[in-house]
């Protein structure tokens, strides 16, 4: 770990008591949901991590608890450093406080996570689906959402497959 | 139908001003089928006469579920999808993906392959900027640039076709190196391009840089200050046009960028014209990198010799039992990666292109996330467009250089 990054980790550890892990040079801090907004504010205002590079989630499986891991990835343009925050989120009524007040691009990123994983962001100004149509059911990037495909119809089995095709029939 | 409309107005109530609800201002859809939205972008505009009061981007028309699809494919097959994300920067997407996989499994890339990667990625950057320049010119009624830009882009397409057999969807850069060595006529073709191109950039500049009509449409339009731009997650030329010197090729060199001598062009105004200047200068710098990389390109292998991840050459399969086993394993089940998660970013023509891979130890990525620069850059559009005319909005959309395949994934 770079010494500058270590000082960042120490500062965050002092304020929030977090565990850190490292894999292939990527440093990740493990946060809990209640601290994330304060941590984001501290990153932006005190530690010069002004760029929220990305925000994404991982579904660990419907039977796991906590089911989701949400990643916040910060970049410091001034100090040329990067660090990730990982927040576990429960599978039942998954929700997190919004950070769109702190980082404006979190607005769409959180909408994406709501659309794709069904994670609600409390206090979000505009939590609508972003990629899928508004009336869509389900959250596609969850592991229990099937990838799905269309069964090809050939002349010999056209009618047989047509029965199960999901479109309005006469 | 009436009910549906009611629901829609209800959903956007908090996004538009009170005057729109009372009918004083007009709500107008621009797109998704509109020539100057550069793809299937829909903008819901609230207009007071011709002034933009609110601009609400509606995206998702090109959502193809690439992340979900990649989870169902092994690492070799998933790469084909990367080309389809940002279709103007296919080589750059391959590079981002390959480097992420290499970081995950700990694979070294031969020097010759690194040079080839840099040359092609920079040529692709030029070609992407050419499309941007052409279409932006078109948006502000400078028709002729468009045709010239596409003429030069064609020679880059020829070079890509020469290497990979494909003009656009190359899949040429693979984890562990590149697909195959470049053909013998490659060097001559690139040298010819290097010789021809600087004069052509001068031509574009003669058409636009001091053109009073172009200046009228771009200077002081769509200004965004540096701190706001960073807060919106803007990266790439759009951020550098606000005065922030942030280029991953310079600040975190990868693939041998540290050996080459180049500058990172910046401007301070943060308007449409500054973004134009930065991109035009970047094309010249990219050309410098291509020339140096071509001069320094070493001989040697272009693929890693670690056959646990990289398929052995065809000639070996006939004579070596081990090569045959490796080949069979790679094409049936693919290779497994160590458990863990990594994030790796490269500088695409539009900004920071990052790949986040979570591996559960199997041959398929458990989760793969693409941090696409257009997605964040587009979010700043309402900020830049507020209070300007619809005609200015068109110029701003062009200047941010979004690719909808990159936004919607």
């Amino acid at each position: 770990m770079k010494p500058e990054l270590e000082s960042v980790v120490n500062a965050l550890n002092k304020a929030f008591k977090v565990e850190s892990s490292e894999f292939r040079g990527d440093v990740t801090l493990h946060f809990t949901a209640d601290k994330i907004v304060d941590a984001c504010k501290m990153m932006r205002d005190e530690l010069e991590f002004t760029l929220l590079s990305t925000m994404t989630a991982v579904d660990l499986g419907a039977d796991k608890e906590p089911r989701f891991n949400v990643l916040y990835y910060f970049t410091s343009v001034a100090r040329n450093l990067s660090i990730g925050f990982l927040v576990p989120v429960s599978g039942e009524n998954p929700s997190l406080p919004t950070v769109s007040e702190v980082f404006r691009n979190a607005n769409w990123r959180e909408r994406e996570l709501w659309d794709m994983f069904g994670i609600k962001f409390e206090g979000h100004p505009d939590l609508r689906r972003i990629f899928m149509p508004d009336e869509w059911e389900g959250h596609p990037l969850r592991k229990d959402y099937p990838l799905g495909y269309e069964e090809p119809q050939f002349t010999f089995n056209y009618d047989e497959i047509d029965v199960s095709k999901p479109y309005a029939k006469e | 139908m009436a009910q549906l409309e009611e629901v829609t107005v209800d959903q956007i109530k908090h996004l538009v001003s009170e005057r729109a609800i009372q009918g004083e201002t007009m709500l107008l859809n621009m797109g998704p089928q509109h020539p100057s939205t550069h793809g299937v972008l829909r903008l819901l505009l609230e207009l007071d006469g011709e002034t933009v009061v609110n601009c609400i981007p509606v995206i998702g028309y090109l959502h193809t579920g690439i992340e979900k699809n990649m989870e169902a494919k092994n690492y070799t097959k998933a790469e084909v999808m990367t080309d389809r994300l940002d279709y103007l920067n296919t080589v750059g997407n391959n590079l981002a993906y390959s480097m992420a996989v290499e970081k995950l499994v700990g694979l070294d890339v031969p020097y010759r392959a690194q040079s080839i990667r840099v040359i092609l990625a920079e040529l692709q950057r030029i070609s992407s900027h050419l499309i941007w320049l052409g279409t932006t010119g078109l948006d502000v009624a400078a028709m002729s640039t468009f045709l010239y830009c596409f003429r030069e882009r064609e020679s880059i397409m020829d070079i890509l076709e020469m290497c990979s057999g494909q003009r656009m969807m190359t899949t040429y850069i693979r984890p562990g190196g590149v697909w195959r060595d470049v053909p013998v006529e490659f060097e001559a073709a690139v040298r010819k391009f290097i010789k021809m191109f600087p004069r052509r950039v001068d031509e574009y500049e003669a058409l636009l840089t001091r053109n009073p009509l172009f200046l009228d449409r771009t200077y002081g339009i769509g200004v965004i200050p540096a701190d706001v731009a960073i807060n919106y997650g803007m990266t790439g030329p759009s951020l550098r046009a606000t005065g922030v010197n942030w280029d991953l090729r310079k600040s975190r060199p990868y693939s041998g960028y540290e050996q080459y001598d180049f500058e990172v062009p910046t401007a301070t105004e943060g308007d449409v014209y500054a973004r134009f200047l930065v991109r035009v200068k970047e094309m010249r710098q990219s050309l410098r990198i291509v020339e140096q990389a071509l001069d320094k390109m070493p001989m040697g292998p272009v693929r890693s010799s670690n056959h646990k991840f990289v398929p052995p050459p065809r000639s070996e399969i006939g004579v070596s039992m081990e090569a045959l086993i490796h080949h069979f394993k790679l094409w049936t089940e693919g290779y497994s990666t160590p458990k863990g998660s990594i994030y790796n970013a490269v500088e695409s023509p539009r900004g920071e292109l990052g790949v986040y891979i979570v591996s559960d130890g199997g041959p398929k990525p458990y989760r793969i996330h693409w941090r696409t620069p257009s997605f964040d850059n587009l979010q700043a559009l309402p900020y830049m467009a507020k209070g300007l005319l619809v005609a200015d909005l068109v110029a701003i959309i062009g200047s941010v250089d979004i690719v909808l395949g990159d936004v919607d994934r």
Side-chain angles (χ1 to χ4, degrees), chain A residues 35-53:
Chain A
K35 292 175 189 161
I36 192 70
V37 178
D38 291 332
C40 282
K41 275 186 189 145
M42 183 175 166
M43 288 298 271
R44 186 192 66 179
D45 300 332
E46 289 168 38
L47 300 169
E48 295 182 90
F49 282 75
T50 44
L51 177 68
L52 177 68
S53 271

PDB file of all heavy atoms in Angstrom, chain A residues 35-53:
ATOM      1  N   LYS A  35     -22.858   4.787   8.332  1.00  0.00           N
ATOM      2  CA  LYS A  35     -21.728   5.721   8.345  1.00  0.00           C
ATOM      3  C   LYS A  35     -21.419   6.286   6.967  1.00  0.00           C
ATOM      4  O   LYS A  35     -20.575   7.173   6.846  1.00  0.00           O
ATOM      5  CB  LYS A  35     -20.476   4.995   8.851  1.00  0.00           C
ATOM      6  CG  LYS A  35     -20.547   4.619  10.312  1.00  0.00           C
ATOM      7  CD  LYS A  35     -19.309   3.810  10.672  1.00  0.00           C
ATOM      8  CE  LYS A  35     -19.421   3.228  12.064  1.00  0.00           C
ATOM      9  NZ  LYS A  35     -18.473   2.119  12.246  1.00  0.00           N
ATOM     10  N   ILE A  36     -22.070   5.765   5.915  1.00  0.00           N
ATOM     11  CA  ILE A  36     -21.562   6.016   4.571  1.00  0.00           C
ATOM     12  C   ILE A  36     -21.681   7.488   4.162  1.00  0.00           C
ATOM     13  O   ILE A  36     -20.786   8.026   3.503  1.00  0.00           O
ATOM     14  CB  ILE A  36     -22.240   5.048   3.547  1.00  0.00           C
ATOM     15  CG1 ILE A  36     -21.525   5.097   2.212  1.00  0.00           C
ATOM     16  CG2 ILE A  36     -23.703   5.342   3.355  1.00  0.00           C
ATOM     17  CD1 ILE A  36     -20.168   4.487   2.214  1.00  0.00           C
ATOM     18  N   VAL A  37     -22.766   8.152   4.564  1.00  0.00           N
ATOM     19  CA  VAL A  37     -22.926   9.543   4.136  1.00  0.00           C
ATOM     20  C   VAL A  37     -21.852  10.425   4.768  1.00  0.00           C
ATOM     21  O   VAL A  37     -21.206  11.241   4.091  1.00  0.00           O
ATOM     22  CB  VAL A  37     -24.337  10.066   4.491  1.00  0.00           C
ATOM     23  CG1 VAL A  37     -24.476  11.512   4.082  1.00  0.00           C
ATOM     24  CG2 VAL A  37     -25.393   9.233   3.798  1.00  0.00           C
ATOM     25  N   ASP A  38     -21.620  10.222   6.072  1.00  0.00           N
ATOM     26  CA  ASP A  38     -20.567  11.003   6.744  1.00  0.00           C
ATOM     27  C   ASP A  38     -19.206  10.690   6.146  1.00  0.00           C
ATOM     28  O   ASP A  38     -18.374  11.586   5.962  1.00  0.00           O
ATOM     29  CB  ASP A  38     -20.564  10.686   8.240  1.00  0.00           C
ATOM     30  CG  ASP A  38     -21.804  11.228   8.918  1.00  0.00           C
ATOM     31  OD1 ASP A  38     -22.342  12.231   8.411  1.00  0.00           O
ATOM     32  OD2 ASP A  38     -22.239  10.648   9.928  1.00  0.00           O
ATOM     33  N   ALA A  39     -18.988   9.414   5.824  1.00  0.00           N
ATOM     34  CA  ALA A  39     -17.702   9.038   5.245  1.00  0.00           C
ATOM     35  C   ALA A  39     -17.510   9.706   3.885  1.00  0.00           C
ATOM     36  O   ALA A  39     -16.412  10.177   3.572  1.00  0.00           O
ATOM     37  CB  ALA A  39     -17.621   7.525   5.109  1.00  0.00           C
ATOM     38  N   CYS A  40     -18.574   9.751   3.077  1.00  0.00           N
ATOM     39  CA  CYS A  40     -18.473  10.395   1.760  1.00  0.00           C
ATOM     40  C   CYS A  40     -18.172  11.877   1.917  1.00  0.00           C
ATOM     41  O   CYS A  40     -17.357  12.438   1.174  1.00  0.00           O
ATOM     42  CB  CYS A  40     -19.778  10.211   0.982  1.00  0.00           C
ATOM     43  SG  CYS A  40     -19.950   8.588   0.273  1.00  0.00           S
ATOM     44  N   LYS A  41     -18.825  12.515   2.901  1.00  0.00           N
ATOM     45  CA  LYS A  41     -18.565  13.939   3.127  1.00  0.00           C
ATOM     46  C   LYS A  41     -17.118  14.161   3.530  1.00  0.00           C
ATOM     47  O   LYS A  41     -16.464  15.096   3.071  1.00  0.00           O
ATOM     48  CB  LYS A  41     -19.493  14.466   4.225  1.00  0.00           C
ATOM     49  CG  LYS A  41     -20.844  14.874   3.686  1.00  0.00           C
ATOM     50  CD  LYS A  41     -21.689  15.511   4.761  1.00  0.00           C
ATOM     51  CE  LYS A  41     -23.108  15.701   4.249  1.00  0.00           C
ATOM     52  NZ  LYS A  41     -24.108  15.510   5.288  1.00  0.00           N
ATOM     53  N   MET A  42     -16.620  13.269   4.386  1.00  0.00           N
ATOM     54  CA  MET A  42     -15.234  13.405   4.832  1.00  0.00           C
ATOM     55  C   MET A  42     -14.281  13.197   3.661  1.00  0.00           C
ATOM     56  O   MET A  42     -13.290  13.922   3.523  1.00  0.00           O
ATOM     57  CB  MET A  42     -14.959  12.376   5.919  1.00  0.00           C
ATOM     58  CG  MET A  42     -13.561  12.491   6.507  1.00  0.00           C
ATOM     59  SD  MET A  42     -13.358  11.359   7.886  1.00  0.00           S
ATOM     60  CE  MET A  42     -11.587  11.416   8.074  1.00  0.00           C
ATOM     61  N   MET A  43     -14.589  12.221   2.795  1.00  0.00           N
ATOM     62  CA  MET A  43     -13.741  11.971   1.631  1.00  0.00           C
ATOM     63  C   MET A  43     -13.662  13.218   0.753  1.00  0.00           C
ATOM     64  O   MET A  43     -12.598  13.614   0.304  1.00  0.00           O
ATOM     65  CB  MET A  43     -14.314  10.824   0.790  1.00  0.00           C
ATOM     66  CG  MET A  43     -14.187   9.477   1.388  1.00  0.00           C
ATOM     67  SD  MET A  43     -12.490   8.998   1.622  1.00  0.00           S
ATOM     68  CE  MET A  43     -12.115   8.224   0.075  1.00  0.00           C
ATOM     69  N   ARG A  44     -14.827  13.850   0.516  1.00  0.00           N
ATOM     70  CA  ARG A  44     -14.854  14.979  -0.398  1.00  0.00           C
ATOM     71  C   ARG A  44     -14.208  16.218   0.222  1.00  0.00           C
ATOM     72  O   ARG A  44     -13.387  16.886  -0.414  1.00  0.00           O
ATOM     73  CB  ARG A  44     -16.301  15.298  -0.784  1.00  0.00           C
ATOM     74  CG  ARG A  44     -16.416  16.373  -1.839  1.00  0.00           C
ATOM     75  CD  ARG A  44     -17.837  16.845  -1.980  1.00  0.00           C
ATOM     76  NE  ARG A  44     -18.298  17.519  -0.778  1.00  0.00           N
ATOM     77  CZ  ARG A  44     -19.511  18.051  -0.619  1.00  0.00           C
ATOM     78  NH1 ARG A  44     -20.379  17.959  -1.590  1.00  0.00           N
ATOM     79  NH2 ARG A  44     -19.860  18.638   0.500  1.00  0.00           N
ATOM     80  N   ASP A  45     -14.562  16.510   1.486  1.00  0.00           N
ATOM     81  CA  ASP A  45     -14.163  17.797   2.059  1.00  0.00           C
ATOM     82  C   ASP A  45     -12.785  17.774   2.703  1.00  0.00           C
ATOM     83  O   ASP A  45     -12.058  18.748   2.636  1.00  0.00           O
ATOM     84  CB  ASP A  45     -15.201  18.255   3.084  1.00  0.00           C
ATOM     85  CG  ASP A  45     -16.570  18.415   2.445  1.00  0.00           C
ATOM     86  OD1 ASP A  45     -16.594  18.697   1.233  1.00  0.00           O
ATOM     87  OD2 ASP A  45     -17.580  18.245   3.134  1.00  0.00           O
ATOM     88  N   GLU A  46     -12.428  16.657   3.353  1.00  0.00           N
ATOM     89  CA  GLU A  46     -11.169  16.651   4.098  1.00  0.00           C
ATOM     90  C   GLU A  46     -10.049  15.923   3.380  1.00  0.00           C
ATOM     91  O   GLU A  46      -8.901  16.315   3.454  1.00  0.00           O
ATOM     92  CB  GLU A  46     -11.390  16.020   5.480  1.00  0.00           C
ATOM     93  CG  GLU A  46     -12.205  16.913   6.399  1.00  0.00           C
ATOM     94  CD  GLU A  46     -12.660  16.163   7.624  1.00  0.00           C
ATOM     95  OE1 GLU A  46     -11.894  15.340   8.148  1.00  0.00           O
ATOM     96  OE2 GLU A  46     -13.805  16.404   8.064  1.00  0.00           O
ATOM     97  N   LEU A  47     -10.392  14.830   2.681  1.00  0.00           N
ATOM     98  CA  LEU A  47      -9.325  13.990   2.131  1.00  0.00           C
ATOM     99  C   LEU A  47      -9.092  14.218   0.640  1.00  0.00           C
ATOM    100  O   LEU A  47      -8.298  13.514   0.031  1.00  0.00           O
ATOM    101  CB  LEU A  47      -9.643  12.517   2.403  1.00  0.00           C
ATOM    102  CG  LEU A  47      -9.767  12.166   3.890  1.00  0.00           C
ATOM    103  CD1 LEU A  47     -10.342  10.780   4.068  1.00  0.00           C
ATOM    104  CD2 LEU A  47      -8.415  12.247   4.577  1.00  0.00           C
ATOM    105  N   GLU A  48      -9.774  15.171   0.061  1.00  0.00           N
ATOM    106  CA  GLU A  48      -9.577  15.569  -1.342  1.00  0.00           C
ATOM    107  C   GLU A  48      -9.942  14.495  -2.360  1.00  0.00           C
ATOM    108  O   GLU A  48      -9.466  14.505  -3.483  1.00  0.00           O
ATOM    109  CB  GLU A  48      -8.126  16.005  -1.597  1.00  0.00           C
ATOM    110  CG  GLU A  48      -7.722  17.260  -0.840  1.00  0.00           C
ATOM    111  CD  GLU A  48      -6.303  17.671  -1.164  1.00  0.00           C
ATOM    112  OE1 GLU A  48      -6.134  18.441  -2.118  1.00  0.00           O
ATOM    113  OE2 GLU A  48      -5.386  17.207  -0.496  1.00  0.00           O
ATOM    114  N   PHE A  49     -10.785  13.531  -1.986  1.00  0.00           N
ATOM    115  CA  PHE A  49     -11.282  12.571  -2.973  1.00  0.00           C
ATOM    116  C   PHE A  49     -12.547  13.163  -3.582  1.00  0.00           C
ATOM    117  O   PHE A  49     -13.660  12.836  -3.177  1.00  0.00           O
ATOM    118  CB  PHE A  49     -11.558  11.220  -2.311  1.00  0.00           C
ATOM    119  CG  PHE A  49     -10.326  10.414  -2.061  1.00  0.00           C
ATOM    120  CD1 PHE A  49      -9.458  10.742  -1.026  1.00  0.00           C
ATOM    121  CD2 PHE A  49     -10.003   9.345  -2.865  1.00  0.00           C
ATOM    122  CE1 PHE A  49      -8.309  10.012  -0.798  1.00  0.00           C
ATOM    123  CE2 PHE A  49      -8.848   8.612  -2.638  1.00  0.00           C
ATOM    124  CZ  PHE A  49      -7.999   8.942  -1.602  1.00  0.00           C
ATOM    125  N   THR A  50     -12.371  14.049  -4.551  1.00  0.00           N
ATOM    126  CA  THR A  50     -13.505  14.810  -5.054  1.00  0.00           C
ATOM    127  C   THR A  50     -14.288  14.081  -6.142  1.00  0.00           C
ATOM    128  O   THR A  50     -15.376  14.506  -6.503  1.00  0.00           O
ATOM    129  CB  THR A  50     -13.031  16.155  -5.612  1.00  0.00           C
ATOM    130  OG1 THR A  50     -11.870  15.916  -6.399  1.00  0.00           O
ATOM    131  CG2 THR A  50     -12.702  17.115  -4.492  1.00  0.00           C
ATOM    132  N   LEU A  51     -13.716  13.020  -6.704  1.00  0.00           N
ATOM    133  CA  LEU A  51     -14.360  12.334  -7.828  1.00  0.00           C
ATOM    134  C   LEU A  51     -14.903  10.986  -7.367  1.00  0.00           C
ATOM    135  O   LEU A  51     -14.141  10.136  -6.895  1.00  0.00           O
ATOM    136  CB  LEU A  51     -13.347  12.154  -8.964  1.00  0.00           C
ATOM    137  CG  LEU A  51     -13.781  11.399 -10.204  1.00  0.00           C
ATOM    138  CD1 LEU A  51     -14.829  12.175 -10.966  1.00  0.00           C
ATOM    139  CD2 LEU A  51     -12.600  11.131 -11.108  1.00  0.00           C
ATOM    140  N   LEU A  52     -16.218  10.810  -7.470  1.00  0.00           N
ATOM    141  CA  LEU A  52     -16.801   9.483  -7.237  1.00  0.00           C
ATOM    142  C   LEU A  52     -16.737   8.758  -8.572  1.00  0.00           C
ATOM    143  O   LEU A  52     -17.563   8.989  -9.440  1.00  0.00           O
ATOM    144  CB  LEU A  52     -18.244   9.606  -6.747  1.00  0.00           C
ATOM    145  CG  LEU A  52     -18.988   8.295  -6.524  1.00  0.00           C
ATOM    146  CD1 LEU A  52     -18.421   7.513  -5.371  1.00  0.00           C
ATOM    147  CD2 LEU A  52     -20.464   8.548  -6.277  1.00  0.00           C
ATOM    148  N   SER A  53     -15.724   7.918  -8.717  1.00  0.00           N
ATOM    149  CA  SER A  53     -15.516   7.281 -10.021  1.00  0.00           C
ATOM    150  C   SER A  53     -16.702   6.428 -10.406  1.00  0.00           C
ATOM    151  O   SER A  53     -17.227   6.549 -11.499  1.00  0.00           O
ATOM    152  CB  SER A  53     -14.268   6.402  -9.994  1.00  0.00           C
ATOM    153  OG  SER A  53     -13.148   7.131 -10.334  1.00  0.00           O
TER     154      SER A  53
END
